[in-house]
């Protein structure tokens, strides 16, 4: 009795990390991708700033590595069962801070369109672009000849990080004039 047994060889995974990302005002922009040629599920160990993270099961390539905090993301090991593969690559996740405040110049008189909004950058790196109410971006941080009303102010820095705030320009009340006079007790007048 002649039996043949076919043995399949499991190729070790060669996994790499590529990409770059940043966290802007709590939102992740960009991604870090884990890629490998071998199919199947693999258990991946990675670190952020040297701190080992919970093991991930990667089941496709490219696989998006979860981005949680700024820092250096590094692949540490990959394995399936007793088979260990090779890992390479690091990815940087930067933290970008963009903060601004708005100063409002109220209208000079009722029913006039001469108010202004000025955006003052408190933290961030330029170049900056500015806009109100989803209009086209401009390089000037000041918006002039505005009517009273509600405005959505937005700033974008050179990396694409955005800051926005809703502001209201108040209508000026008409001036109140009061006139008073006294009449003295003189007769004939």
């Amino acid at each position: 009795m002649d039996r043949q047994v076919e043995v399949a060889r499991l190729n070790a995974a060669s996994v790499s990390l590529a990409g770059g990302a940043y966290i802007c005002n709590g939102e992740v922009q960009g991604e870090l991708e884990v890629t490998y040629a071998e199919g199947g599920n693999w258990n991946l160990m990675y670190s952020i700033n040297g701190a080992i993270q919970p093991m991930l099961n990667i089941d496709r390539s490219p696989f998006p590595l979860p981005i949680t905090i700024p820092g250096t993301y590094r692949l540490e090991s990959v394995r399936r069962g007793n088979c260990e593969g090779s890992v390479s690559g690091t990815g940087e996740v930067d933290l970008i801070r963009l903060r601004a405040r708005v100063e409002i110049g109220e209208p000079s008189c009722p029913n006039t369109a001469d108010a202004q909004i000025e955006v003052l950058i408190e933290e961030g790196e330029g170049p900056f672009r500015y806009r109100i109410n989803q209009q086209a971006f401009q390089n000037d941080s000041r918006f002039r000849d505005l009517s009273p009303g509600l405005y959505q102010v937005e700033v974008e820095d050179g990396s694409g990080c955005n800051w926005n705030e809703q502001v209201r320009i108040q209508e000026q009340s008409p001036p109140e004039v009061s006139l008073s006079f006294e009449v003295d007790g003189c007769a004939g007048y």
Side-chain angles (χ1 to χ4, degrees), residues 4 13 21 23 29 33 35 43 53-54 59 69 97 103 108-109 111 115 118 122 125 128 130 133 148 153 164 171-172:
Q4 287 186 334
I23 299 173
Q29 306 288 326
E33 285 188 345
T35 57
N43 293 318
Q53 302 301 301
D59 59 358
I69 62 172
R97 296 186 193 275
E103 288 188 357
S108 60
C109 296
N111 302 317
E118 183 173 8
E122 294 182 335
E125 293 188 29
F128 299 103
Y130 310 85
N133 296 345
V153 180
N164 61 68
E171 177 74 58
Q172 289 288 55

Side-chain angles (χ1 to χ4, degrees), residues 170-188:
Q170 298 292 334
E171 177 74 58
Q172 289 288 55
S173 300
E176 289 186 24
V177 177
S178 65
L179 180 62
S180 66
F181 59 93
E182 285 185 28
V183 177
D184 65 14
C186 296

Side-chain angles (χ1 to χ4, degrees), residues 16-186:
S16 63
L17 176 64
Y22 62 91
I23 299 173
C24 167
N25 298 330
E27 293 186 26
V28 175
Q29 306 288 326
E31 61 182 25
L32 299 174
E33 285 188 345
V34 175
T35 57
Y36 64 102
E38 297 74 18
N41 293 346
W42 291 84
N43 293 318
L44 177 70
M45 188 69 72
Y46 71 102
S47 65
I48 304 173
N49 299 327
I52 299 296
Q53 302 301 301
M55 189 175 301
L56 288 177
N57 181 276
I58 56 175
D59 59 358
R60 65 190 175 284
S61 181
F63 182 87
L65 194 63
I67 296 173
T68 55
I69 62 172
T72 301
Y73 287 62
R74 180 175 171 218
L75 298 183
E76 299 293 338
S77 67
V78 63
R79 66 181 319 115
R80 178 167 45 187
N82 292 328
C83 182
E84 187 160 341
S86 63
V87 293
S88 65
T90 60
E92 290 296 324
V93 176
D94 296 320
L95 178 63
I96 297 176
R97 296 186 193 275
L98 176 57
R99 288 187 322 122
R101 65 184 172 88
V102 175
E103 288 188 357
I104 298 173
E106 301 292 342
S108 60
C109 296
N111 302 317
T112 59
D114 64 350
Q116 68 178 14
I117 294 173
E118 183 173 8
V119 183
L120 303 167
I121 302 297
E122 294 182 335
E123 186 176 9
E125 293 188 29
F128 299 103
R129 299 183 324 150
Y130 310 85
R131 72 178 176 178
I132 57 173
N133 296 345
Q134 298 296 313
Q135 295 175 359
F137 277 103
Q138 65 182 40
N139 294 328
D140 188 1
S141 65
R142 191 174 298 207
F143 301 91
R144 296 171 180 81
D145 301 324
L146 300 173
S147 298
L150 198 58
Y151 291 89
Q152 186 68 33
V153 180
E154 186 176 351
V155 179
E156 182 180 82
D157 71 5
S159 64
C161 185
N162 290 295
W163 173 92
N164 61 68
E165 183 174 311
Q166 194 172 59
V167 298
R168 178 179 299 280
I169 296 176
Q170 298 292 334
E171 177 74 58
Q172 289 288 55
S173 300
E176 289 186 24
V177 177
S178 65
L179 180 62
S180 66
F181 59 93
E182 285 185 28
V183 177
D184 65 14
C186 296

